[in-house]
């Protein structure tokens, strides 16, 4: 019976091959972890930029400059903060060269979508329009025009879809300020157009349908403004949208814009006072129950 023998050189070659495979796997896992950490850092920085833009936009009511100039100034500060994220992407360029980007796209996408959301919000404050695909890609390039990595259509659309939620907060938070009703109307029309345009892409972009449902909820909140602007009903509950009530009253009494804005501000003040009183009664009621239980 013939026997086969393995030469020492062949065994060494097999072991060397496994060493190479092990090194490749270690390199893959380490790169993946670095990209996940970087994506989380980018997400956190993007959220901070969004909070900054909201804070600056709300603060424009006390500013002496006009609304458009104030929003542009807020956007410029947002752009400066976004450069920190762009610097992070520049450092990630070697990690995502050539085919590597497609291998690690799932690790890059969450932070990239959050970045696009923050960038598009700043762009909206600056220009009052939606940032284009090419404009986003230009922010992810070297000064020589070399892309850090290719921007995908799915990341672009999903990031823009998240923008509608921030626009809802932007519209509602300042509706009691001077000119807030007009701004809310403009934002409402803008979000409605976004929802309509994105609808045609839902069969082709994964997760876009789910985000479209969130966009629908944001649009309804802007239209109704429930919970932010409400008036007390006969039952004592705040359920009727004040925006709707204001439209009705303005048509009935032909009120000037200044008086309408006072009504909105008063509605917000009444709602806030009612909310604080209700929470206070609930706390007192809970405290009273605890005291009674202890006495028993």
């Amino acid at each position: 019976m013939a026997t086969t023998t393995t030469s020492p050189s062949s065994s060494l070659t097999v072991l060397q091959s496994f060493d190479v495979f092990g090194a490749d796997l270690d390199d893959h896992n380490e790169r993946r972890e670095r990209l996940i950490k970087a994506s989380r850092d980018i997400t956190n920085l993007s959220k901070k930029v969004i909070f900054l833009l909201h804070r600056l936009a709300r603060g424009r009511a006390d500013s002496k400059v006009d609304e458009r100039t104030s929003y542009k100034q807020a956007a410029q500060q947002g752009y400066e903060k976004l450069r920190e994220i762009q610097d992070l992407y520049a450092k990630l360029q070697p990690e995502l060269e050539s085919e590597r980007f497609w291998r690690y796209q799932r690790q890059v996408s969450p932070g990239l979508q959050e970045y696009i959301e923050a960038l598009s919000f700043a762009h909206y404050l600056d220009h009052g329009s939606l940032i284009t695909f090419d404009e986003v890609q230009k922010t992810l390039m070297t000064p020589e025009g070399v892309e850090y990595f290719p921007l995908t259509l799915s990341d672009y659309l999903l990031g823009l879809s998240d923008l509608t939620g921030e626009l809802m907060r932007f519209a509602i938070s300042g509706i009691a300020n001077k000119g807030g009703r007009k701004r809310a109307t403009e934002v409402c029309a803008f979000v409605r157009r976004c929802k309509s345009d994105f609808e045609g892409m839902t069969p082709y972009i994964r997760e876009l349908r789910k985000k479209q449902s969130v966009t629908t909820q944001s649009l309804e909140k802007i239209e109704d403004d429930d919970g932010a602007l409400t008036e007390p009903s006969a039952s004592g509950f705040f359920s009727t949208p004040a925006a709707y009530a204001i439209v009705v009253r303005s048509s009935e009494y032909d009120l000037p814009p200044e008086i309408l804005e006072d009504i909105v501000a008063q509605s917000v003040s009444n709602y806030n006072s009612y909310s604080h009183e209700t929470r206070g009664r609930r706390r007192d009621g809970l405290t009273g129950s605890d005291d009674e239980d202890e006495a028993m």
Side-chain angles (χ1 to χ4, degrees), residues 53-123:
L53 292 172
H54 277 298
R55 185 169 65 252
L56 294 175
R58 286 196 301 267
R60 65 96 183 166
D62 300 328
S63 177
K64 296 181 180 179
V65 299
D66 63 279
E67 178 180 298
R68 177 48 52 194
T69 302
S70 179
Y71 288 160
K72 284 183 174 292
Q73 292 174 352
Q76 292 303 318
Q77 294 189 43
Y79 291 146
E80 292 177 4
K81 292 295 183 180
L82 287 170
R83 291 192 185 96
E84 298 179 15
I85 300 176
Q86 294 160 10
D87 291 340
L88 288 178
Y89 277 127
K91 295 178 181 178
L92 292 178
Q93 183 181 11
E95 304 276 11
L96 300 171
E97 287 180 339
S98 62
E99 300 298 325
R100 286 179 181 172
F101 171 75
W102 303 107
R103 185 177 187 182
Y104 300 104
Q105 184 187 6
R106 292 185 61 183
Q107 285 72 49
V108 176
S109 287
L112 181 58
Q113 292 175 25
E114 197 73 30
Y115 165 73
I116 294 174
E117 179 183 358
L119 178 64
S120 59
F121 189 25
H123 186 275

Side-chain angles (χ1 to χ4, degrees), residues 93-192:
Q93 183 181 11
E95 304 276 11
L96 300 171
E97 287 180 339
S98 62
E99 300 298 325
R100 286 179 181 172
F101 171 75
W102 303 107
R103 185 177 187 182
Y104 300 104
Q105 184 187 6
R106 292 185 61 183
Q107 285 72 49
V108 176
S109 287
L112 181 58
Q113 292 175 25
E114 197 73 30
Y115 165 73
I116 294 174
E117 179 183 358
L119 178 64
S120 59
F121 189 25
H123 186 275
Y124 179 83
L125 292 177
D126 193 7
H127 302 283
S129 60
L130 204 63
I131 191 170
T132 65
F133 181 91
D134 291 336
E135 287 172 330
V136 175
Q137 182 68 83
K138 286 180 181 178
T139 67
L140 301 172
M141 290 182 175
T142 64
E144 294 76 20
V146 179
E147 298 177 356
Y148 299 147
F149 51 82
L151 175 65
T152 64
L153 182 60
S154 60
D155 286 332
Y156 169 71
L157 289 177
L158 292 174
L160 292 184
S161 183
D162 291 334
L163 169 66
T164 57
E166 301 306 327
L167 291 179
M168 177 270 294
R169 298 179 184 90
F170 173 64
I172 292 177
S173 63
I175 197 170
N177 297 333
K178 183 178 180 180
R181 292 184 303 107
K182 178 182 177 182
R183 182 183 67 184
T185 302
E186 294 173 350
V187 172
C188 183
F190 182 83
V191 173
R192 190 179 294 114

Side-chain angles (χ1 to χ4, degrees), residues 11-288:
S11 300
L12 185 61
T13 302
V14 173
L15 292 175
Q16 289 175 340
S17 298
F18 274 97
D19 289 340
V20 173
F21 298 153
D24 288 342
L25 287 174
D26 290 340
D27 180 68
H28 162 70
N29 290 328
E30 291 173 1
R31 180 177 290 107
R32 181 176 177 275
E33 291 299 323
R34 288 195 298 268
L35 291 173
I36 291 175
K37 182 181 182 303
S39 183
R40 289 173 179 169
D41 293 340
I42 290 170
T43 298
N44 292 333
L45 288 173
S46 299
K47 289 183 181 296
K48 290 180 180 179
V49 172
I50 292 173
F51 295 153
L52 172 67
L53 292 172
H54 277 298
R55 185 169 65 252
L56 294 175
R58 286 196 301 267
R60 65 96 183 166
D62 300 328
S63 177
K64 296 181 180 179
V65 299
D66 63 279
E67 178 180 298
R68 177 48 52 194
T69 302
S70 179
Y71 288 160
K72 284 183 174 292
Q73 292 174 352
Q76 292 303 318
Q77 294 189 43
Y79 291 146
E80 292 177 4
K81 292 295 183 180
L82 287 170
R83 291 192 185 96
E84 298 179 15
I85 300 176
Q86 294 160 10
D87 291 340
L88 288 178
Y89 277 127
K91 295 178 181 178
L92 292 178
Q93 183 181 11
E95 304 276 11
L96 300 171
E97 287 180 339
S98 62
E99 300 298 325
R100 286 179 181 172
F101 171 75
W102 303 107
R103 185 177 187 182
Y104 300 104
Q105 184 187 6
R106 292 185 61 183
Q107 285 72 49
V108 176
S109 287
L112 181 58
Q113 292 175 25
E114 197 73 30
Y115 165 73
I116 294 174
E117 179 183 358
L119 178 64
S120 59
F121 189 25
H123 186 275
Y124 179 83
L125 292 177
D126 193 7
H127 302 283
S129 60
L130 204 63
I131 191 170
T132 65
F133 181 91
D134 291 336
E135 287 172 330
V136 175
Q137 182 68 83
K138 286 180 181 178
T139 67
L140 301 172
M141 290 182 175
T142 64
E144 294 76 20
V146 179
E147 298 177 356
Y148 299 147
F149 51 82
L151 175 65
T152 64
L153 182 60
S154 60
D155 286 332
Y156 169 71
L157 289 177
L158 292 174
L160 292 184
S161 183
D162 291 334
L163 169 66
T164 57
E166 301 306 327
L167 291 179
M168 177 270 294
R169 298 179 184 90
F170 173 64
I172 292 177
S173 63
I175 197 170
N177 297 333
K178 183 178 180 180
R181 292 184 303 107
K182 178 182 177 182
R183 182 183 67 184
T185 302
E186 294 173 350
V187 172
C188 183
F190 182 83
V191 173
R192 190 179 294 114
R193 290 195 301 270
C194 289
K195 179 181 180 298
S196 177
D197 292 341
F198 294 163
E199 194 65 34
M201 303 298 295
T202 52
Y204 311 103
I205 305 297
R206 184 181 180 183
E207 297 181 1
L208 185 57
R209 185 177 300 277
K210 183 187 298 184
K211 295 203 174 190
Q212 277 290 86
S213 63
V214 178
T215 298
T216 301
Q217 295 174 6
S218 298
L219 182 59
E220 291 174 352
K221 290 179 181 178
I222 300 174
E223 292 173 339
D224 295 339
D225 218 357
D226 287 326
L229 281 178
T230 51
E231 291 189 332
S233 62
S235 61
F237 294 99
F238 287 67
S239 57
T240 305
Y244 171 77
I246 291 171
V247 172
V248 173
R249 291 184 179 181
S250 63
S251 63
E252 290 177 348
Y253 301 104
D254 192 22
L255 298 175
E258 294 79 8
I259 296 180
L260 289 177
E261 290 173 355
D262 290 340
I263 293 176
V264 175
Q266 185 63 38
S267 298
V268 174
S269 177
N270 290 341
Y271 174 73
N272 291 335
S273 299
Y274 175 83
S275 299
H276 291 313
E277 291 176 2
T278 302
R279 286 194 293 268
R281 293 195 197 101
R282 289 175 180 173
R283 285 196 299 268
D284 294 341
L286 291 174
T287 302

